[in-house]
Amino acid sequence: MNTLILQPDAPDTVAIAAQIIRDGGLVALPTETVYGLGADGLNPLAVDRIYEAKGRPKDNPMILHVTGMEQVETLCHHIPPCAYALAEAYWPGPLTMILPAREHIPKRTTGGLSTVAVRCPDSVVTRQVIAASATAIAAPSANLSGKPSTTTVQHVLHDHDGKIEAVIDGGACRVGVESTIVDLTETPARLLRPGGVTPAQLREILGDLTVDKAVTAQLGPDEIARAPGMKYRHYAPQCQVVIVAGSREKAAAYIHAHYQNSDRVLCFEEELPLYKNCNPLAYGREADARTLCAGLFAALRELDDPKVRMVYARCPEGEGVSYAVQNRLKKAAAFQIIDAEEWG
Ligand code: TXA
Ligand code: MG
C-alpha cells in the first residue's frame, strides 16, 4: 500500500481523510500531544486494523476523539457536571476523560470495559476530519506498541509507511507527551496518566484528585492497572535506561564513573558541558519543562539504536508538566532509578 502524505491546508485533505475513515481505513492524525493512529471508533473491524498495525495487546482500549461535549453525550451516559466543567476549561486540549460507555460502543474499542476514554484534540484539521467522518475517531499514539510515541510525520512513517492509507502532516507536536487521563467514574476523580494538563489544573476544577499508583510506581504482578496500557513496558528504546537522580554534580560524578564507550547520556541542555566526552543528547531545558515534554520522544527514538548499550537519563523534578516527563521516563527506565546523592 502507498501511504498518502496529506497537507493540512490542501483543499481536499479533510474530505480524503474522512472518506478513508468512513471506509474502515487508517489515517495518522496530528494532535497537540502526539500523532494518533486514527480509525472509525464505532467500527470494530476498523479498530482491529489499529491493533494489527501497532501490534497492540487486545485488552488495551482506545481513546475516542470527538469535537466536543455534544458528541460525548452520544457516546457516554451518567456524565457528571465536572466533565462539562473540565471540557469548558481544557478542551480542545491535552485532556482525556474516562466516562461510562453507552451500549453501542464496540467492545473492541473499550477493551471490554464498561467505560470509554474521550478527548477533544487541539488540532483544527483533526477536528475537521472527525466532523466530516461523522463518527468518533479511535486514535492511540501512532507508535508501534511499546516504542516511544510519534511526535513528527517522520516518526509515523518510520513505524507505518506502506501499512496505513494516509498521514496528515501537521509538523512537530506542540506538547509532545500524550494527554492527561482522568477517570471521572469514581469520586474523587483519579489521575491515570499525567500530561499537558497538570494535577494543579485538574484540582482547580475538581477540588480533590487521587493519583493512581501506576503514575509513580511499578505495579506488582497481581495489581490491576486502571488504565490497561500502563501495565506494559512502554516508551522504551531497546537498550537499558537508568535514571540518575540527584544534584548536577553528583549525577555527573556517578555517570562518569560508570560510563562505557557505547553508552549515551540523556540530559538537560544546561548539563551538556558536563558530559562532553559521554556522547550526550539534550532533550530540552531543565528551566522550561515544556521543552522537555516536546523533545522527550524524539530523543528516546534517537536512542533506540542497537549500538547503544545503556542510557543514563536525567529527569526533571516537580509537579507541573515535569510530572508527565517523570512518568514517561520512569516507565522507559522500568522504574530503575539510582540516587547519585547516596553513591560514593
Ligand atoms: O494524547 C493522547 O492521548 C494520544 C493522542 C493521539 O490523542 N493518544 C494516546 O492513546 O495516548 P494511547 O492509546 O496511546 O493511550 C491511551 C491510554 C492507554 O493507556 C489506555 O489503556 C488508556 O488510555 N485507556 C483507554 N481507555 C480507557 C478506559 N476506558 N479506562 C482506563 N484507561 C483507558
Ligand atoms: Mg500510547
Side-chain angles (χ1 to χ4, degrees):
M1 172 188 314
N2 179 28
T3 300
L4 294 172
I5 303 175
L6 303 170
Q7 295 307 318
D9 43 7
D12 46 2
T13 287
V14 170
I16 294 172
Q19 189 62 49
I20 295 170
I21 298 284
R22 274 199 299 271
D23 291 343
L26 299 180
V27 181
L29 297 163
T31 84
E32 75 284 25
T33 59
V34 300
Y35 278 76
L37 189 56
D40 181 350
L42 303 183
N43 173 352
L45 294 176
V47 173
D48 264 343
R49 284 207 46 210
I50 299 180
Y51 283 103
E52 277 159 34
K54 279 182 61 87
R56 181 174 174 105
K58 287 273 162 67
D59 68 343
N60 193 359
M62 306 279 163
I63 297 174
L64 287 179
H65 293 68
V66 298
T67 51
M69 284 308 284
E70 319 74 59
Q71 196 178 0
V72 170
E73 287 169 359
T74 70
L75 305 167
C76 304
H77 61 90
H78 290 90
I79 303 171
C82 65
Y84 291 90
L86 284 171
E88 180 68 30
Y90 303 121
W91 275 6
L95 177 68
T96 295
M97 303 192 272
I98 308 288
L99 293 166
R102 286 189 185 272
E103 276 293 312
H104 69 283
I105 313 294
K107 293 291 171 216
R108 267 284 176 270
T109 300
T110 63
L113 299 174
S114 61
T115 57
V116 67
V118 290
R119 159 164 133 81
C120 177
D122 186 18
S123 154
V124 172
V125 68
T126 292
R127 289 205 307 278
Q128 286 171 340
V129 173
I130 300 167
S133 62
T135 187
I137 296 189
S141 51
N143 53 286
L144 293 173
S145 202
K147 290 293 179 188
S149 297
T150 40
T151 54
T152 66
V153 79
Q154 290 77 22
H155 295 163
V156 174
L157 291 171
H158 177 274
D159 287 11
H160 297 294
D161 196 11
K163 291 192 300 174
I164 65 176
E165 280 79 359
V167 54
I168 299 181
D169 182 357
C173 299
R174 176 173 55 83
V175 176
V177 295
E178 305 89 336
S179 60
T180 303
I181 303 181
V182 63
D183 185 346
L184 301 180
T185 65
E186 52 182 285
T187 312
R190 181 181 290 265
L191 177 69
L192 300 185
R193 181 175 74 182
V197 173
T198 64
Q201 286 176 309
L202 291 176
R203 287 193 175 103
E204 264 174 43
I205 307 286
L206 296 170
D208 220 1
L209 178 73
T210 307
V211 175
D212 194 64
K213 184 183 166 194
V215 170
T216 50
Q218 179 106 59
L219 291 180
D222 300 330
E223 286 177 291
I224 294 173
R226 307 272 185 146
M230 296 303 263
K231 69 173 177 267
Y232 297 106
R233 184 167 193 242
H234 215 152
Y235 312 120
Q238 46 195 299
C239 64
Q240 204 186 338
V241 179
V242 59
I243 293 173
V244 184
S247 69
R248 274 188 195 163
E249 294 67 30
K250 293 268 188 182
Y254 177 90
I255 292 170
H256 279 282
H258 291 83
Y259 181 84
Q260 295 182 21
N261 264 337
S262 51
D263 295 346
R264 300 285 313 258
V265 178
L266 179 65
C267 64
F268 312 127
E269 271 174 35
E270 294 94 326
E271 296 180 319
L272 280 172
L274 289 172
Y275 296 109
K276 273 194 197 114
N277 302 317
C278 302
N279 211 354
L281 176 63
Y283 63 110
R285 292 187 300 284
E286 186 178 22
D288 181 358
R290 289 187 188 273
T291 64
L292 297 170
C293 286
L296 179 66
F297 285 131
L300 288 174
R301 282 185 166 256
E302 183 174 336
L303 298 172
D304 189 18
D305 171 347
K307 293 194 285 298
V308 177
R309 185 193 72 105
M310 166 86 117
V311 172
Y312 297 99
R314 295 282 290 152
C315 184
E317 291 181 351
E319 258 241 328
V321 284
S322 301
Y323 205 48
V325 177
Q326 286 160 29
N327 168 262
R328 306 309 190 274
L329 254 184
K330 282 181 184 171
K331 284 184 66 79
F335 293 91
Q336 267 218 81
I337 303 168
I338 284 161
D339 185 355
E341 299 291 329
E342 285 181 3
W343 173 80

